[in-house]
Amino acid sequence: MFTPCKFLMTHSTKRRYLLKRAFELAAVLSSLPVLPTSAQPQTGPLIKETDLGYLWLLQGAGCNVLAMPGGSEDGFLLMDGGLAEHSPALLEAAMAVTGQERIHTLINSHFHPDHTGSNLAAGVMGAQIVAHENTMRCLEVALESSSYEGRYGPLPDYALPNKTLKGDGSFKFAGQELIYGYLPAAHTNGDIFIYMPMLDTLFTGGAVTSDSWPLLDIRQGAWMGGLMEAYDKLYSVVSADTVVIPAQGAPINGAAIVRMRNMYSELHLSLTELLNIGMGWDDVVALNPLQKYEAQYGSAARFLELAMRSIQLAYVPD
């Protein structure tokens, strides 16, 4: 039977067409939320693809993203979604590596704009968007944050999480068990991690970074004690050889989580002692108790400022 050439599409052309239609529809349904000044993305991101064995690590869209091909789900799973303006490139890469043409499930590890930028496309595709209930509340309104200038949100209704989590639990995707855990006050007020025991892989969300310091969003519930407790919880999940995917930076292993846990526990104790002798956050930044780690993680000044301010908020009476 004769088929007109104009109706023939390669897989890559079809992917681009579907993405174009998804983002056109998103623009019609609602204007894009304004990204805060410090969160404005660069144009034309190069997405780096790393095969982890039934998982793909995608880097370059604003945060580390994991893509997992579905089975009977007829679509792939994404863990986090990068910045909104990088989402088309990210999703095209996800479609290419998974061989599937739609998002079935998108997990938001927390609400920050560099992690929730694919909610718009996911909503248009009718995907299940999973997040902690506090993340849902954050995305419903315009919020200020310690991580950016201005306000982010609200997202349109179709781009909001439609499956919310409260505590710890699990669900299955493509035959894989995904264990999730809530990390209260670690990086925001709605952080979750995902652990895949069959693959011995941990997706940490914003509480862990391997090339920089994790930001404490003290405007949205995070504090130093919460970060320390998050590492205690992650420590209980991993073994030394667990593959750990942080929010930013290269993959690490469970042994690195143990070292980070010890570092942050020591820092929490030190900051409490410094508070007791009358030091403020500016004194702590000048003292720089993290100097020996700066070769690996960069300047600790902003992290120390927020960490000490969070200690002051927690322990100093109003």
Side-chain angles (χ1 to χ4, degrees):
M1 183 175 68
F2 176 73
T3 303
C5 291
K6 67 179 180 179
F7 292 114
L8 294 177
M9 287 188 180
T10 64
H11 287 301
S12 61
T13 302
K14 187 176 181 182
R15 285 197 297 268
R16 287 193 292 271
Y17 172 78
L18 290 172
L19 283 170
K20 182 174 182 291
R21 293 301 299 156
F23 282 94
E24 285 176 349
L25 182 54
V28 169
L29 290 173
S30 176
S31 60
L32 288 171
V34 177
L35 288 179
T37 302
S38 63
Q40 291 291 343
Q42 303 297 313
T43 57
L46 175 64
I47 305 300
K48 179 183 177 182
E49 304 163 356
T50 303
D51 186 355
L52 300 178
Y54 204 70
L55 286 171
W56 286 86
L57 171 61
L58 305 176
Q59 297 173 289
C63 69
N64 286 340
V65 175
L66 281 185
M68 178 187 292
S72 60
E73 291 87 358
D74 188 29
F76 56 88
L77 178 144
L78 278 186
M79 300 181 198
D80 279 338
L83 287 157
E85 292 188 20
H86 289 350
S87 183
L90 173 67
L91 296 187
E92 186 167 1
M95 289 177 178
V97 298
T98 63
Q100 295 175 311
E101 294 172 345
R102 62 179 293 269
I103 306 171
H104 179 278
T105 300
L106 170 64
I107 299 174
N108 295 154
S109 69
H110 60 286
F111 84 92
H112 284 160
D114 53 340
H115 291 255
T116 55
S118 291
N119 283 39
L120 294 160
V124 169
M125 294 179 187
Q128 177 174 256
I129 304 175
V130 181
H132 190 270
E133 61 184 6
N134 288 341
T135 295
M136 165 72 167
R137 295 187 184 109
C138 289
L139 294 173
E140 287 181 307
V141 296
L143 280 185
E144 295 181 340
S145 168
S146 304
S147 71
Y148 52 75
E149 297 177 6
R151 293 176 179 269
Y152 175 61
L155 294 186
D157 288 347
Y158 69 90
L160 293 172
N162 47 41
K163 179 178 180 180
T164 56
L165 314 173
K166 290 188 176 182
D168 302 341
S170 66
F171 61 94
K172 286 194 173 182
F173 185 87
Q176 298 283 337
E177 184 182 20
L178 278 67
I179 298 171
Y180 60 85
Y182 178 39
L183 302 173
H187 174 62
T188 68
N189 62 0
D191 297 281
I192 59 171
F193 69 84
I194 302 291
Y195 176 63
M196 293 148 279
M198 292 177 65
L199 303 172
D200 195 18
T201 299
L202 172 69
F203 184 76
T204 67
V208 181
T209 51
S210 65
D211 63 352
S212 56
W213 299 99
L215 182 137
L216 294 174
D217 195 343
I218 62 175
R219 289 191 173 189
Q220 301 303 330
W223 79 293
M224 189 62 213
L227 184 68
M228 183 187 67
E229 290 174 1
Y231 274 87
D232 284 342
K233 192 165 187 175
L234 295 175
Y235 167 77
S236 71
V237 172
V238 300
S239 65
D241 296 325
T242 299
V243 176
V244 179
I245 307 301
Q248 304 285 345
I252 53 177
N253 58 24
I257 292 292
V258 176
R259 291 193 295 271
M260 290 177 180
R261 170 183 177 258
N262 295 338
M263 176 179 67
Y264 290 125
S265 295
E266 180 181 343
L267 177 64
H268 181 257
L269 179 60
S270 296
L271 293 182
T272 304
E273 292 174 347
L274 293 173
L275 177 68
N276 288 335
I277 62 173
M279 284 195 174
W281 67 262
D282 50 344
D283 300 310
V284 170
V285 170
L287 184 63
N288 195 3
L290 295 175
Q291 184 175 6
K292 63 182 178 181
Y293 300 107
E294 289 188 323
Q296 180 175 356
Y297 299 111
S299 173
R302 177 62 171 163
F303 174 74
L304 285 170
E305 174 192 341
L306 292 171
M308 189 58 175
R309 287 172 63 187
S310 77
I311 294 286
Q312 291 171 318
L313 289 170
Y315 294 141
V316 177
D318 292 336

